[in-house]
mmCIF file of all heavy atoms in Angstrom:
data_model
loop_
_atom_site.group_PDB
_atom_site.id
_atom_site.type_symbol
_atom_site.label_atom_id
_atom_site.label_comp_id
_atom_site.label_asym_id
_atom_site.label_seq_id
_atom_site.Cartn_x
_atom_site.Cartn_y
_atom_site.Cartn_z
ATOM 1 N N ILE A 1036 -3.887 28.672 -8.911
ATOM 2 C CA ILE A 1036 -4.899 27.518 -9.016
ATOM 3 C C ILE A 1036 -4.294 26.468 -9.829
ATOM 4 O O ILE A 1036 -4.375 25.216 -9.500
ATOM 5 C CB ILE A 1036 -6.204 27.982 -9.573
ATOM 6 C CG1 ILE A 1036 -6.834 28.948 -8.577
ATOM 7 C CG2 ILE A 1036 -7.139 26.855 -9.707
ATOM 8 C CD1 ILE A 1036 -8.058 29.637 -9.155
ATOM 9 N N ARG A 1037 -3.666 26.763 -10.843
ATOM 10 C CA ARG A 1037 -2.992 25.688 -11.670
ATOM 11 C C ARG A 1037 -1.903 24.924 -10.892
ATOM 12 O O ARG A 1037 -1.855 23.726 -11.083
ATOM 13 C CB ARG A 1037 -2.420 26.345 -12.975
ATOM 14 C CG ARG A 1037 -1.781 25.260 -13.868
ATOM 15 C CD ARG A 1037 -1.287 26.032 -15.106
ATOM 16 N NE ARG A 1037 -2.306 26.774 -15.804
ATOM 17 C CZ ARG A 1037 -2.134 27.561 -16.874
ATOM 18 N NH1 ARG A 1037 -0.909 27.805 -17.228
ATOM 19 N NH2 ARG A 1037 -3.123 28.204 -17.450
ATOM 20 N N SER A 1038 -1.055 25.583 -10.210
ATOM 21 C CA SER A 1038 -0.078 24.866 -9.397
ATOM 22 C C SER A 1038 -0.671 24.022 -8.283
ATOM 23 O O SER A 1038 -0.243 22.906 -8.100
ATOM 24 C CB SER A 1038 0.901 25.934 -8.807
ATOM 25 O OG SER A 1038 0.195 26.846 -7.925
ATOM 26 N N GLU A 1039 -1.712 24.511 -7.666
ATOM 27 C CA GLU A 1039 -2.305 23.727 -6.614
ATOM 28 C C GLU A 1039 -3.007 22.385 -7.243
ATOM 29 O O GLU A 1039 -2.926 21.367 -6.695
ATOM 30 C CB GLU A 1039 -3.455 24.537 -5.920
ATOM 31 C CG GLU A 1039 -2.904 25.662 -5.086
ATOM 32 C CD GLU A 1039 -2.091 25.107 -3.852
ATOM 33 O OE1 GLU A 1039 -2.556 24.084 -3.429
ATOM 34 O OE2 GLU A 1039 -1.108 25.764 -3.570
ATOM 35 N N LEU A 1040 -3.650 22.652 -8.427
ATOM 36 C CA LEU A 1040 -4.220 21.425 -9.026
ATOM 37 C C LEU A 1040 -3.117 20.450 -9.489
ATOM 38 O O LEU A 1040 -3.326 19.173 -9.368
ATOM 39 C CB LEU A 1040 -4.988 21.831 -10.269
ATOM 40 C CG LEU A 1040 -6.296 22.608 -9.917
ATOM 41 C CD1 LEU A 1040 -7.042 23.025 -11.236
ATOM 42 C CD2 LEU A 1040 -7.300 21.779 -9.247
ATOM 43 N N LYS A 1041 -2.028 20.944 -9.860
ATOM 44 C CA LYS A 1041 -0.874 20.050 -10.314
ATOM 45 C C LYS A 1041 -0.386 19.284 -9.044
ATOM 46 O O LYS A 1041 -0.102 18.000 -9.204
ATOM 47 C CB LYS A 1041 0.217 20.812 -10.991
ATOM 48 C CG LYS A 1041 -0.057 21.304 -12.366
ATOM 49 C CD LYS A 1041 1.122 22.059 -12.916
ATOM 50 C CE LYS A 1041 0.830 22.444 -14.438
ATOM 51 N NZ LYS A 1041 1.921 23.236 -15.028
ATOM 52 N N ASP A 1042 -0.199 20.017 -7.962
ATOM 53 C CA ASP A 1042 0.246 19.244 -6.699
ATOM 54 C C ASP A 1042 -0.757 18.210 -6.310
ATOM 55 O O ASP A 1042 -0.417 17.125 -5.880
ATOM 56 C CB ASP A 1042 0.433 20.259 -5.632
ATOM 57 C CG ASP A 1042 1.572 21.223 -5.954
ATOM 58 O OD1 ASP A 1042 2.384 20.916 -6.789
ATOM 59 O OD2 ASP A 1042 1.684 22.437 -5.348
ATOM 60 N N LEU A 1043 -2.080 18.578 -6.339
ATOM 61 C CA LEU A 1043 -3.066 17.599 -5.988
ATOM 62 C C LEU A 1043 -3.112 16.385 -6.909
ATOM 63 O O LEU A 1043 -3.180 15.312 -6.422
ATOM 64 C CB LEU A 1043 -4.476 18.341 -5.879
ATOM 65 C CG LEU A 1043 -5.675 17.365 -5.435
ATOM 66 C CD1 LEU A 1043 -5.412 16.954 -4.086
ATOM 67 C CD2 LEU A 1043 -6.917 18.260 -5.574
ATOM 68 N N LEU A 1044 -2.918 16.631 -8.188
ATOM 69 C CA LEU A 1044 -2.864 15.555 -9.185
ATOM 70 C C LEU A 1044 -1.616 14.643 -8.958
ATOM 71 O O LEU A 1044 -1.803 13.364 -8.988
ATOM 72 C CB LEU A 1044 -2.913 16.061 -10.597
ATOM 73 C CG LEU A 1044 -2.931 15.049 -11.676
ATOM 74 C CD1 LEU A 1044 -4.226 14.190 -11.664
ATOM 75 C CD2 LEU A 1044 -2.840 15.789 -13.068
ATOM 76 N N ARG A 1045 -0.622 15.220 -8.614
ATOM 77 C CA ARG A 1045 0.655 14.473 -8.278
ATOM 78 C C ARG A 1045 0.417 13.547 -7.102
ATOM 79 O O ARG A 1045 0.846 12.418 -7.012
ATOM 80 C CB ARG A 1045 1.827 15.352 -8.144
ATOM 81 C CG ARG A 1045 3.157 14.708 -8.128
ATOM 82 C CD ARG A 1045 4.286 15.702 -7.891
ATOM 83 N NE ARG A 1045 4.368 16.616 -9.070
ATOM 84 C CZ ARG A 1045 4.027 17.916 -8.961
ATOM 85 N NH1 ARG A 1045 3.600 18.355 -7.753
ATOM 86 N NH2 ARG A 1045 4.011 18.666 -10.080
ATOM 87 N N GLU A 1046 -0.131 14.088 -6.063
ATOM 88 C CA GLU A 1046 -0.425 13.340 -4.869
ATOM 89 C C GLU A 1046 -1.325 12.157 -5.117
ATOM 90 O O GLU A 1046 -1.157 11.085 -4.642
ATOM 91 C CB GLU A 1046 -1.036 14.276 -3.794
ATOM 92 C CG GLU A 1046 -0.001 15.263 -3.169
ATOM 93 C CD GLU A 1046 -0.618 16.168 -2.158
ATOM 94 O OE1 GLU A 1046 -1.872 15.952 -1.930
ATOM 95 O OE2 GLU A 1046 0.061 17.067 -1.589
ATOM 96 N N LEU A 1047 -2.457 12.397 -5.928
ATOM 97 C CA LEU A 1047 -3.356 11.300 -6.265
ATOM 98 C C LEU A 1047 -2.678 10.272 -7.001
ATOM 99 O O LEU A 1047 -2.868 9.044 -6.862
ATOM 100 C CB LEU A 1047 -4.533 11.868 -6.953
ATOM 101 C CG LEU A 1047 -5.460 12.831 -6.202
ATOM 102 C CD1 LEU A 1047 -6.635 13.407 -7.081
ATOM 103 C CD2 LEU A 1047 -6.133 12.038 -5.033
ATOM 104 N N GLU A 1048 -1.748 10.587 -7.975
ATOM 105 C CA GLU A 1048 -1.090 9.652 -8.771
ATOM 106 C C GLU A 1048 -0.093 8.822 -7.799
ATOM 107 O O GLU A 1048 -0.054 7.622 -7.934
ATOM 108 C CB GLU A 1048 -0.246 10.304 -9.813
ATOM 109 C CG GLU A 1048 -1.077 10.932 -10.973
ATOM 110 C CD GLU A 1048 -0.257 11.649 -11.948
ATOM 111 O OE1 GLU A 1048 0.943 11.797 -11.718
ATOM 112 O OE2 GLU A 1048 -0.855 12.083 -12.982
ATOM 113 N N GLU A 1049 0.597 9.482 -6.876
ATOM 114 C CA GLU A 1049 1.375 8.723 -5.987
ATOM 115 C C GLU A 1049 0.623 7.742 -5.100
ATOM 116 O O GLU A 1049 1.038 6.570 -4.932
ATOM 117 C CB GLU A 1049 2.198 9.714 -5.182
ATOM 118 C CG GLU A 1049 3.275 10.491 -5.929
ATOM 119 C CD GLU A 1049 3.968 11.501 -5.069
ATOM 120 O OE1 GLU A 1049 3.543 11.565 -3.782
ATOM 121 O OE2 GLU A 1049 4.885 12.189 -5.466
ATOM 122 N N GLU A 1050 -0.569 8.211 -4.637
ATOM 123 C CA GLU A 1050 -1.401 7.308 -3.766
ATOM 124 C C GLU A 1050 -1.897 6.131 -4.611
ATOM 125 O O GLU A 1050 -1.866 4.948 -4.110
ATOM 126 C CB GLU A 1050 -2.514 8.156 -3.134
ATOM 127 C CG GLU A 1050 -2.096 9.172 -2.129
ATOM 128 C CD GLU A 1050 -3.299 9.885 -1.570
ATOM 129 O OE1 GLU A 1050 -4.441 9.569 -2.045
ATOM 130 O OE2 GLU A 1050 -3.058 10.739 -0.697
ATOM 131 N N SER A 1051 -2.283 6.365 -5.836
ATOM 132 C CA SER A 1051 -2.819 5.246 -6.703
ATOM 133 C C SER A 1051 -1.679 4.243 -6.980
ATOM 134 O O SER A 1051 -1.910 3.097 -7.030
ATOM 135 C CB SER A 1051 -3.483 5.877 -7.939
ATOM 136 O OG SER A 1051 -2.474 6.502 -8.724
ATOM 137 N N ARG A 1052 -0.414 4.887 -7.219
ATOM 138 C CA ARG A 1052 0.635 4.029 -7.521
ATOM 139 C C ARG A 1052 1.005 3.132 -6.267
ATOM 140 O O ARG A 1052 1.340 1.948 -6.489
ATOM 141 C CB ARG A 1052 1.878 4.877 -7.921
ATOM 142 C CG ARG A 1052 3.028 4.080 -8.558
ATOM 143 C CD ARG A 1052 4.166 4.971 -8.998
ATOM 144 N NE ARG A 1052 3.696 5.892 -10.022
ATOM 145 C CZ ARG A 1052 3.614 7.204 -9.879
ATOM 146 N NH1 ARG A 1052 3.864 7.736 -8.683
ATOM 147 N NH2 ARG A 1052 3.165 7.971 -10.851
ATOM 148 N N GLU A 1053 1.063 3.657 -5.067
ATOM 149 C CA GLU A 1053 1.341 2.849 -3.884
ATOM 150 C C GLU A 1053 0.297 1.835 -3.756
ATOM 151 O O GLU A 1053 0.535 0.728 -3.244
ATOM 152 C CB GLU A 1053 1.376 3.726 -2.710
ATOM 153 C CG GLU A 1053 2.594 4.689 -2.773
ATOM 154 C CD GLU A 1053 2.689 5.656 -1.489
ATOM 155 O OE1 GLU A 1053 1.777 5.584 -0.659
ATOM 156 O OE2 GLU A 1053 3.662 6.391 -1.462
ATOM 157 N N ALA A 1054 -1.044 2.238 -3.999
ATOM 158 C CA ALA A 1054 -2.111 1.277 -3.778
ATOM 159 C C ALA A 1054 -1.956 0.036 -4.654
ATOM 160 O O ALA A 1054 -2.167 -1.148 -4.391
ATOM 161 C CB ALA A 1054 -3.432 1.886 -3.854
ATOM 162 N N GLY A 1055 -1.543 0.365 -5.916
ATOM 163 C CA GLY A 1055 -1.326 -0.747 -6.940
ATOM 164 C C GLY A 1055 -0.190 -1.603 -6.592
ATOM 165 O O GLY A 1055 -0.283 -2.900 -6.819
ATOM 166 N N ARG A 1056 0.888 -1.009 -6.055
ATOM 167 C CA ARG A 1056 2.068 -1.861 -5.714
ATOM 168 C C ARG A 1056 1.697 -2.683 -4.522
ATOM 169 O O ARG A 1056 2.169 -3.863 -4.524
ATOM 170 C CB ARG A 1056 3.171 -0.898 -5.281
ATOM 171 C CG ARG A 1056 4.527 -1.608 -5.063
ATOM 172 C CD ARG A 1056 5.629 -0.732 -4.695
ATOM 173 N NE ARG A 1056 5.786 0.358 -5.736
ATOM 174 C CZ ARG A 1056 5.509 1.588 -5.458
ATOM 175 N NH1 ARG A 1056 4.941 2.014 -4.358
ATOM 176 N NH2 ARG A 1056 5.789 2.547 -6.420
ATOM 177 N N SER A 1057 1.020 -2.209 -3.542
ATOM 178 C CA SER A 1057 0.615 -3.063 -2.410
ATOM 179 C C SER A 1057 -0.339 -4.190 -2.777
ATOM 180 O O SER A 1057 -0.345 -5.348 -2.262
ATOM 181 C CB SER A 1057 0.030 -2.198 -1.327
ATOM 182 O OG SER A 1057 -1.120 -1.617 -1.777
ATOM 183 N N ALA A 1058 -1.159 -3.964 -3.736
ATOM 184 C CA ALA A 1058 -2.095 -5.032 -4.215
ATOM 185 C C ALA A 1058 -1.406 -5.983 -5.054
ATOM 186 O O ALA A 1058 -1.831 -7.222 -5.148
ATOM 187 C CB ALA A 1058 -3.212 -4.420 -4.979
ATOM 188 N N ALA A 1059 -0.332 -5.788 -5.723
ATOM 189 C CA ALA A 1059 0.378 -6.679 -6.520
ATOM 190 C C ALA A 1059 1.307 -7.568 -5.781
ATOM 191 O O ALA A 1059 1.834 -8.613 -6.322
ATOM 192 C CB ALA A 1059 1.185 -5.987 -7.708
ATOM 193 N N GLU A 1060 1.657 -7.394 -4.533
ATOM 194 C CA GLU A 1060 2.573 -8.295 -3.721
ATOM 195 C C GLU A 1060 1.886 -9.563 -3.385
ATOM 196 O O GLU A 1060 0.792 -9.558 -2.892
ATOM 197 C CB GLU A 1060 3.045 -7.504 -2.446
ATOM 198 C CG GLU A 1060 3.872 -6.334 -2.751
ATOM 199 C CD GLU A 1060 4.319 -5.648 -1.378
ATOM 200 O OE1 GLU A 1060 3.773 -5.986 -0.318
ATOM 201 O OE2 GLU A 1060 5.091 -4.671 -1.440
ATOM 202 N N PRO A 1061 2.515 -10.839 -3.543
ATOM 203 C CA PRO A 1061 1.884 -12.200 -3.242
ATOM 204 C C PRO A 1061 1.959 -12.368 -1.703
ATOM 205 O O PRO A 1061 2.862 -11.883 -1.010
ATOM 206 C CB PRO A 1061 2.695 -13.141 -3.980
ATOM 207 C CG PRO A 1061 4.127 -12.517 -4.130
ATOM 208 C CD PRO A 1061 3.746 -11.031 -4.197
ATOM 209 N N LYS A 1062 0.858 -13.107 -1.170
ATOM 210 C CA LYS A 1062 0.811 -13.553 0.191
ATOM 211 C C LYS A 1062 0.947 -15.106 0.347
ATOM 212 O O LYS A 1062 0.570 -15.871 -0.513
ATOM 213 C CB LYS A 1062 -0.576 -13.171 0.732
ATOM 214 C CG LYS A 1062 -0.844 -11.701 0.736
ATOM 215 C CD LYS A 1062 -2.127 -11.343 1.364
ATOM 216 C CE LYS A 1062 -2.302 -9.820 1.363
ATOM 217 N NZ LYS A 1062 -3.700 -9.559 1.938
ATOM 218 N N ASP A 1063 1.624 -15.530 1.495
ATOM 219 C CA ASP A 1063 1.904 -16.971 1.794
ATOM 220 C C ASP A 1063 0.686 -17.635 2.308
ATOM 221 O O ASP A 1063 0.165 -17.175 3.378
ATOM 222 C CB ASP A 1063 3.080 -17.153 2.758
ATOM 223 C CG ASP A 1063 3.446 -18.526 3.012
ATOM 224 O OD1 ASP A 1063 3.012 -19.392 2.280
ATOM 225 O OD2 ASP A 1063 4.401 -18.823 3.854
ATOM 226 N N PRO A 1064 0.062 -18.659 1.653
ATOM 227 C CA PRO A 1064 -1.115 -19.261 2.182
ATOM 228 C C PRO A 1064 -0.954 -20.086 3.445
ATOM 229 O O PRO A 1064 -1.895 -20.224 4.209
ATOM 230 C CB PRO A 1064 -1.589 -20.172 1.016
ATOM 231 C CG PRO A 1064 -0.387 -20.457 0.268
ATOM 232 C CD PRO A 1064 0.566 -19.300 0.360
ATOM 233 N N GLY A 1065 0.258 -20.603 3.810
ATOM 234 C CA GLY A 1065 0.448 -21.410 4.922
ATOM 235 C C GLY A 1065 0.841 -20.546 6.210
ATOM 236 O O GLY A 1065 1.067 -21.060 7.357
ATOM 237 N N TYR A 1066 0.965 -19.401 5.943
ATOM 238 C CA TYR A 1066 1.306 -18.472 7.015
ATOM 239 C C TYR A 1066 0.089 -18.133 7.797
ATOM 240 O O TYR A 1066 -0.927 -17.744 7.262
ATOM 241 C CB TYR A 1066 1.927 -17.199 6.537
ATOM 242 C CG TYR A 1066 2.296 -16.154 7.514
ATOM 243 C CD1 TYR A 1066 3.350 -16.370 8.330
ATOM 244 C CD2 TYR A 1066 1.482 -15.006 7.727
ATOM 245 C CE1 TYR A 1066 3.632 -15.469 9.346
ATOM 246 C CE2 TYR A 1066 1.803 -14.094 8.640
ATOM 247 C CZ TYR A 1066 2.928 -14.276 9.402
ATOM 248 O OH TYR A 1066 3.214 -13.421 10.378
ATOM 249 N N ARG A 1067 0.151 -18.488 9.130
ATOM 250 C CA ARG A 1067 -1.007 -18.307 9.972
ATOM 251 C C ARG A 1067 -0.785 -17.098 11.016
ATOM 252 O O ARG A 1067 -1.659 -16.881 11.795
ATOM 253 C CB ARG A 1067 -1.342 -19.522 10.788
ATOM 254 C CG ARG A 1067 -1.656 -20.666 9.829
ATOM 255 C CD ARG A 1067 -2.015 -21.904 10.730
ATOM 256 N NE ARG A 1067 -2.418 -23.008 9.868
ATOM 257 C CZ ARG A 1067 -2.786 -24.220 10.325
ATOM 258 N NH1 ARG A 1067 -2.732 -24.449 11.633
ATOM 259 N NH2 ARG A 1067 -3.004 -25.148 9.478
ATOM 260 N N GLY A 1068 0.405 -16.610 10.919
ATOM 261 C CA GLY A 1068 0.648 -15.441 11.833
ATOM 262 C C GLY A 1068 0.907 -15.913 13.249
ATOM 263 O O GLY A 1068 0.746 -15.148 14.228
ATOM 264 N N GLN A 1069 1.441 -17.185 13.477
ATOM 265 C CA GLN A 1069 1.752 -17.703 14.796
ATOM 266 C C GLN A 1069 3.273 -17.447 15.059
ATOM 267 O O GLN A 1069 4.094 -17.788 14.265
ATOM 268 C CB GLN A 1069 1.493 -19.207 14.910
ATOM 269 C CG GLN A 1069 0.010 -19.423 14.817
ATOM 270 C CD GLN A 1069 -0.259 -20.995 14.943
ATOM 271 O OE1 GLN A 1069 0.631 -21.766 14.958
ATOM 272 N NE2 GLN A 1069 -1.573 -21.372 14.929
ATOM 273 N N GLY A 1070 3.569 -17.068 16.247
ATOM 274 C CA GLY A 1070 5.006 -16.811 16.610
ATOM 275 C C GLY A 1070 5.520 -18.002 17.305
ATOM 276 O O GLY A 1070 4.947 -18.994 17.457
ATOM 277 N N PRO A 1071 6.809 -17.961 17.585
ATOM 278 C CA PRO A 1071 7.484 -19.149 18.262
ATOM 279 C C PRO A 1071 6.984 -19.264 19.678
ATOM 280 O O PRO A 1071 7.121 -20.293 20.278
ATOM 281 C CB PRO A 1071 8.918 -18.705 18.183
ATOM 282 C CG PRO A 1071 9.025 -17.292 18.043
ATOM 283 C CD PRO A 1071 7.826 -16.912 17.242
ATOM 284 N N ASP A 1072 6.393 -18.221 20.226
ATOM 285 C CA ASP A 1072 5.966 -18.286 21.627
ATOM 286 C C ASP A 1072 4.553 -18.853 21.746
ATOM 287 O O ASP A 1072 4.007 -19.025 22.845
ATOM 288 C CB ASP A 1072 6.025 -16.949 22.425
ATOM 289 C CG ASP A 1072 7.517 -16.495 22.474
ATOM 290 O OD1 ASP A 1072 8.374 -17.399 22.442
ATOM 291 O OD2 ASP A 1072 7.678 -15.252 22.501
ATOM 292 N N ASP A 1073 3.826 -18.970 20.549
ATOM 293 C CA ASP A 1073 2.503 -19.552 20.667
ATOM 294 C C ASP A 1073 2.463 -20.937 20.931
ATOM 295 O O ASP A 1073 3.065 -21.780 20.121
ATOM 296 C CB ASP A 1073 1.712 -19.257 19.369
ATOM 297 C CG ASP A 1073 1.560 -17.784 19.090
ATOM 298 O OD1 ASP A 1073 1.642 -16.900 20.093
ATOM 299 O OD2 ASP A 1073 1.390 -17.375 17.940
ATOM 300 N N GLY A 1074 1.940 -21.523 22.104
ATOM 301 C CA GLY A 1074 1.974 -22.867 22.491
ATOM 302 C C GLY A 1074 0.775 -23.727 22.024
ATOM 303 O O GLY A 1074 0.733 -24.881 22.349
ATOM 304 N N ALA A 1075 -0.180 -23.165 21.285
ATOM 305 C CA ALA A 1075 -1.374 -23.903 20.908
ATOM 306 C C ALA A 1075 -1.542 -23.872 19.383
ATOM 307 O O ALA A 1075 -1.138 -22.884 18.688
ATOM 308 C CB ALA A 1075 -2.616 -23.352 21.532
ATOM 309 N N ASP A 1076 -2.097 -24.918 18.918
ATOM 310 C CA ASP A 1076 -2.322 -24.969 17.400
ATOM 311 C C ASP A 1076 -3.751 -24.474 17.194
ATOM 312 O O ASP A 1076 -4.316 -23.915 18.022
ATOM 313 C CB ASP A 1076 -2.187 -26.338 16.875
ATOM 314 C CG ASP A 1076 -3.037 -27.358 17.665
ATOM 315 O OD1 ASP A 1076 -3.773 -26.969 18.613
ATOM 316 O OD2 ASP A 1076 -3.013 -28.529 17.369
ATOM 317 N N SER A 1077 -4.273 -24.743 15.945
ATOM 318 C CA SER A 1077 -5.580 -24.240 15.590
ATOM 319 C C SER A 1077 -6.684 -24.887 16.340
ATOM 320 O O SER A 1077 -7.770 -24.389 16.567
ATOM 321 C CB SER A 1077 -5.781 -24.439 14.103
ATOM 322 O OG SER A 1077 -5.702 -25.777 13.785
#
């Protein structure tokens, strides 16, 4: 039981670490997600 709890705690720590890393990355405000093939504006 102790080993299973340690594995579960390790997985939770890794998931929380990945979630914090993805939340800390900055986003481009001018980026609209349009590709070169899009022929129309907003």
Side-chain angles (χ1 to χ4, degrees):
I1036 295 176
R1037 183 179 298 173
S1038 62
E1039 291 294 326
L1040 291 176
K1041 286 182 178 179
D1042 295 339
L1043 182 60
L1044 182 60
R1045 189 181 299 109
E1046 292 178 358
L1047 291 176
E1048 290 177 353
E1049 292 179 356
E1050 291 180 359
S1051 61
R1052 193 178 298 111
E1053 291 178 358
R1056 188 182 303 111
S1057 61
E1060 291 180 356
K1062 294 183 180 181
D1063 188 4
Y1066 178 73
R1067 297 181 180 179
Q1069 295 179 356
D1072 295 334
D1073 294 337
D1076 55 1
S1077 59

